[in-house]
Amino acid sequence: MRAAERLERALCASARRAGAPITIASHAAREWRSATFTGARHVVEACGARGDALDAWLATLRDDDVAVPGHVVAELRVSARESAGDAAHFRLEGVTVALA
């Protein structure tokens, strides 16, 4: 399973635990390499039911809240957010680093 799929599962599990289930609409991942690390940059578009649980999850979401097997989430942030009716749409951007 690729890092992108693992990240999606981890995000959905984290949101579920917070009482704010989400749906992933799209996920773009671009691999990167440095002299010492291999990983990927991710842009995830998702949505969930508008409400206090989702607001709290997004406001407190941290790198270490999302466990991705075989990877470290080195950076994770909410980069865009909008609401329409009962739904909230948001974009998460992050970086994963593969464990050797």
Side-chain angles (χ1 to χ4, degrees), residues 53-78:
L54 183 62
D55 290 345
W57 181 71
L58 289 172
T60 61
L61 186 61
R62 297 184 340 220
D63 305 349
D64 55 355
D65 291 336
V66 181
V68 179
H71 301 268
V72 172
V73 178
E75 182 181 311
L76 184 63
R77 67 184 179 91
V78 179

Side-chain angles (χ1 to χ4, degrees), residues 9-91:
R9 287 182 180 196
L11 287 168
C12 289
S14 174
R16 245 188 339 270
R17 283 191 304 274
I22 63 170
T23 300
I24 306 293
S26 68
H27 185 162
R30 189 182 73 206
E31 292 186 13
W32 62 269
R33 296 186 192 325
S34 71
T36 53
F37 298 109
T38 300
R41 295 188 182 281
H42 304 268
V43 177
V44 178
E45 301 280 346
C47 63
R50 200 167 142 189
D52 292 342
L54 183 62
D55 290 345
W57 181 71
L58 289 172
T60 61
L61 186 61
R62 297 184 340 220
D63 305 349
D64 55 355
D65 291 336
V66 181
V68 179
H71 301 268
V72 172
V73 178
E75 182 181 311
L76 184 63
R77 67 184 179 91
V78 179
S79 62
R81 184 172 176 190
E82 64 181 44
S83 296
D86 293 337
H89 302 272
F90 53 93
R91 178 182 306 121

